[in-house]
Amino acid sequence: MTRLAPAARLTQYAHGGGCACKIPPGELERVVAGLTGGDDSLLVGGPDGDDAAVLRIEGARAVVSTADFFTPVVDDAYDWGRIAAANALSDVYAVGGEPLIALNLLGWPADALPVELAREVLRGGRDVAALAGCAIAGGHSIDDPEPKYGLAVTGVADPDRLLRLDAGRPGVPLTLTKPLGIGVLNARHKATGEEFPHAVATMTELNADAGRAALEHGATCATDVTGFGLLGHLYKLARASGVTAVVNASAVPYLDGAREALRDGFVPGGTRRNLSWVSPHTDFRRIAEEERLLLADAQTSGGLLVAGEIPGAPVIGELVGRGRHTLVIR
């Protein structure tokens, strides 16, 4: 906990935590149906629900735009700022872009928490953005009973070298660049105050190297794994690409303590909603309920899921021709 307010546990001011507090994916798709799109200059960002929007501009260039914010996932204000910034920047990397400039998005309960804590949140966001070579130029804040923080990020990309949801093809392996389990560990932290430095390190790690490696190795299809969990984001990718995704459950990496957190009942509501959403489209074979929940666990600032191989990252499955189910877990 920060020295500025040792009695203030930020996670206790939030009804949910991080990307686990997203609107359920099925409901969200119904809400935004028909409300996105544009002309042919909009290369990415239509009805498939891509990670960021990409717009072609003059000079064989493209501009990338995204916004992401959420409630506290940890009690340390500085760490929360770092996590939220890394998560927002990830959307740019997930489409093959590089961030240039960002604006802070801050909601703060001014009557309940000292503004010095808000400064720590903003400092954390600034420091991670600096690591990404991304300038922060002001932003917008409101008085809000529930603290929220994130970034609106603008970047650039090569319009002929993008990572898209709809570019998956049969016969391509699936690579995951960060382990799962962030959601259940954050749920345990919120309930008990127990700290998990390795989870914080994972959430604050930028996906910059993973995005560049994906492009360098010829990948054209990717997404990042956040609030809809591995299965939710993979379902969106496979559906948009018209393929079936096969996951080898035993190959999926997890953070230390994730299975124990699940065993002890620390499961975010978002994780259960994710599983409910993908289950009608998934052949789970003999995969137990506990394993299904971990695969659907709502992540915050998770890794990239790439249709292609990245050196040093585990291959967890493959894309095959479209079958009866969109997802197959074996």
Side-chain angles (χ1 to χ4, degrees):
M1 299 182 193
T2 178
R3 291 173 298 171
L4 293 172
R9 290 197 57 212
L10 286 176
T11 55
Q12 304 309 297
Y13 287 82
H15 76 282
C19 293
C21 62
K22 282 186 175 182
I23 294 174
E27 293 180 24
L28 182 61
E29 288 191 339
R30 290 192 295 272
V31 168
V32 302
L35 301 179
T36 60
D39 59 27
D40 292 341
S41 296
L42 186 63
L43 303 178
V44 177
D48 292 328
D50 295 272
D51 297 293
V54 181
L55 185 74
R56 186 189 296 272
I57 56 177
E58 294 181 358
R61 296 174 297 166
V63 62
V64 182
S65 181
T66 186
D68 208 312
F69 61 93
F70 50 66
T71 54
V73 289
V74 294
D75 292 322
D76 186 275
Y78 178 74
D79 282 344
W80 174 35
R82 294 197 299 145
I83 292 164
N87 182 76
L89 292 163
S90 179
D91 287 341
V92 176
Y93 299 129
V95 298
E98 292 287 339
L100 290 181
I101 189 170
L103 302 175
N104 289 307
L105 304 173
L106 178 69
W108 197 256
D111 292 336
L113 289 171
V115 293
E116 289 83 3
L117 273 182
R119 179 177 173 83
E120 284 297 286
V121 176
L122 296 173
R123 187 171 70 88
R126 179 207 62 185
D127 286 356
V128 162
L131 290 175
C134 178
I136 290 187
H140 184 68
S141 63
I142 61 170
D143 189 346
D144 190 333
E146 186 175 54
K148 301 175 181 72
Y149 176 65
L151 298 176
V153 188
T154 300
V156 292
D158 181 340
D160 297 320
R161 298 180 71 225
L162 295 174
L163 300 172
R164 309 172 55 103
L165 282 180
D166 62 2
R169 299 293 179 263
V172 178
L174 290 168
T175 301
L176 181 65
T177 66
K178 287 186 184 181
L180 303 183
I182 291 170
V184 292
L185 288 176
N186 284 346
R188 183 165 211 151
H189 172 68
K190 177 177 170 62
T192 68
E194 186 177 354
E195 297 181 353
F196 301 100
H198 64 303
V200 172
T202 297
M203 289 186 283
T204 54
E205 180 185 352
L206 291 171
N207 282 326
D209 289 344
R212 294 188 194 105
L215 292 175
E216 290 169 359
H217 288 82
T220 58
C221 177
T223 184
D224 63 350
V225 180
T226 55
F228 299 150
L230 172 67
L231 294 187
H233 289 285
L234 182 55
Y235 169 63
K236 290 175 62 178
L237 183 155
R239 181 182 62 181
S241 297
V243 297
T244 287
V246 179
V247 174
N248 299 318
S250 62
V252 176
Y254 292 98
L255 290 167
D256 290 344
R259 292 187 181 279
E260 291 78 5
L262 176 71
R263 178 200 63 202
D264 294 339
F266 298 104
V267 182
T271 295
R272 297 191 185 278
R273 291 192 293 270
N274 291 341
L275 183 57
S276 176
W277 182 51
V278 301
S279 288
H281 314 286
T282 306
D283 177 2
F284 280 107
R285 308 221 170 155
R286 297 184 178 180
I287 302 297
E289 179 75 7
E290 293 78 10
E291 195 79 12
R292 299 182 189 190
L293 284 167
L294 284 174
L295 291 168
D297 189 37
Q299 305 298 281
T300 295
S301 193
L304 296 191
L305 176 64
V306 180
E309 289 194 55
I310 296 179
V315 172
I316 64 165
E318 63 178 333
L319 300 179
V320 300
R322 186 61 178 268
R324 180 180 176 186
H325 293 90
T326 310
L327 301 179
V328 175
I329 315 300
R330 63 190 183 191

